[in-house]
């Protein structure tokens, strides 16, 4: 999909509008809308299709907002994006806003992937070791991916630590092909 | 002239042969890895999963900035 060159500016506007204290909740709301846009072509159509008038769009967003119990600020922001013809970049704006918020809080989001759910029992150790690596406070997100077979794969920003069994098999495969 | 053609043909054959060898090797390795992954997946127990996660975490903890 074509990137919107203003997405960072929109993300900043969103964070300024909601304020740093309310940002975590507001970002969750944006993530919900991003997922909805990806899932529902109808909702996406309402936002991006020029056939619909601003009023129709506003009504659709308002309805979705009240059924999902979204804050008026988030609803207003989505309407604003739509008016700017940038609603298709909602997902991109949401991702940028998350990154900006993390930057503001000196937070790094780490995605911890394991083949089986691990709950939060390793949270302390993971956070401490990742903080040492990236010199930031760490926010963890857990993803279960059975294809890893075993071990842990962690992604923090552009850094990836692959301790998974499938990762080791891939290394072995590369060595065998090269050798 | 005919020697030149012969030489070129030999080079081409050699190249094709190497390509074919590499492709067969890659395919064999790919199949072996698929099989290995399947076997590991089938035999993995919750205890082994836990051990592997512990090992990965220990290595992560040893990583330097």
């Amino acid at each position: 999909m074509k990137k919107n060159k203003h997405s960072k500016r929109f993300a900043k506007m969103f964070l300024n509008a909601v304020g740093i204290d309310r940002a975590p909740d507001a970002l969750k709301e944006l993530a919900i809308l991003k997922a909805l846009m990806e899932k529902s072509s109808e909702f996406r159509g309402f936002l991006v299709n020029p056939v619909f008038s601003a009023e129709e769009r506003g009504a659709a967003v308002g309805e979705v907002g009240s059924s999902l119990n979204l804050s008026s600020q988030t609803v207003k922001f989505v309407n604003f994006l739509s008016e700017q013809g940038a609603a298709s970049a909602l997902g991109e704006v949401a991702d940028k806003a998350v990154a900006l918020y993390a930057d503001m809080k000196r937070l790094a989001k780490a995605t911890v992937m394991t083949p089986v759910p691990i709950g939060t029992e390793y949270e302390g150790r993971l956070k401490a070791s990742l903080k040492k690596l990236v010199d930031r406070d760490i926010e963890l997100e857990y993803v279960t991916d059975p294809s890893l077979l075993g071990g842990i794969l962690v992604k923090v920003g552009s850094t990836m630590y692959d301790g998974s069994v499938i990762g080791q098999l891939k290394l072995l495969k590369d060595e065998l092909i090269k050798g | 002239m005919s020697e030149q053609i012969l030489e070129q043909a030999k080079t081409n054959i050699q190249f094709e042969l190497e390509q074919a060898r590499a492709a067969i090797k890659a395919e064999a390795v790919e199949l072996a890895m698929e099989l290995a992954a399947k076997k590991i997946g089938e035999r993995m127990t919750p205890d082994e999963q836990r051990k592997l996660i512990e090992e990965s975490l220990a290595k992560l903890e040893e990583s330097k900035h």
Side-chain angles (χ1 to χ4, degrees), chain A residues 115-116 118 121-122 125-126 129 132-133 149-152 161 163 165 169 172-173 176-177 179, chain B residues 25-26 29-30 33 36-37 40-41 44 49-50 52-54 56-57 59-61 63-65:
Chain A
V116 289
I118 57 167
E121 58 188 298
Y122 299 107
R125 286 170 69 190
L126 277 167
S129 49
K132 207 172 71 179
L133 284 176
L149 298 172
I152 300 179
Y161 165 77
V165 170
L169 280 178
L172 181 64
K173 183 177 127 182
L176 286 172
I177 289 175
Chain B
K25 189 176 172 186
V29 170
E30 183 71 46
M33 288 301 129
I40 292 169
M44 191 67 76
Q49 284 287 10
R50 201 178 169 78
L52 284 166
I53 287 169
E54 281 285 348
S56 298
L57 195 52
K59 279 185 194 155
L60 182 65
E61 285 169 328
S63 308
K64 296 256 157 49
H65 182 66

Side-chain angles (χ1 to χ4, degrees), chain A residues 49-166:
Chain A
N49 196 330
V51 163
F52 299 107
S53 67
E55 288 75 25
E56 284 170 323
R57 267 186 222 141
V61 176
E63 208 166 295
V64 167
S66 56
S67 69
L68 293 174
N69 212 12
L70 303 180
S71 68
S72 60
Q73 277 166 321
T74 302
V75 170
K76 230 193 248 178
F77 179 72
V78 176
N79 275 327
F80 166 75
L81 277 187
S82 182
E83 280 163 21
Q84 298 292 312
S88 59
L90 179 67
E92 210 183 308
V93 174
D95 292 342
K96 288 254 160 61
V98 169
L100 278 173
Y101 175 70
D103 245 9
M104 286 155 93
K105 295 283 283 182
R106 292 278 304 157
L107 264 178
K109 189 174 178 184
T111 306
V112 178
M113 298 168 79
T114 49
V116 289
I118 57 167
T120 53
E121 58 188 298
Y122 299 107
E123 192 166 314
R125 286 170 69 190
L126 277 167
K127 280 188 172 176
S129 49
L130 291 169
K131 187 177 178 177
K132 207 172 71 179
L133 284 176
V134 298
D135 192 27
R136 286 193 168 212
D137 285 330
I138 301 290
E139 188 181 67
L140 295 176
E141 176 194 44
Y142 295 98
V143 174
T144 305
D145 181 356
S147 74
L148 296 179
L149 298 172
I152 300 179
L153 186 148
V154 186
K155 289 180 193 167
V156 200
S158 57
T159 308
M160 183 165 85
Y161 165 77
D162 190 356
S164 71
V165 170
I166 198 71

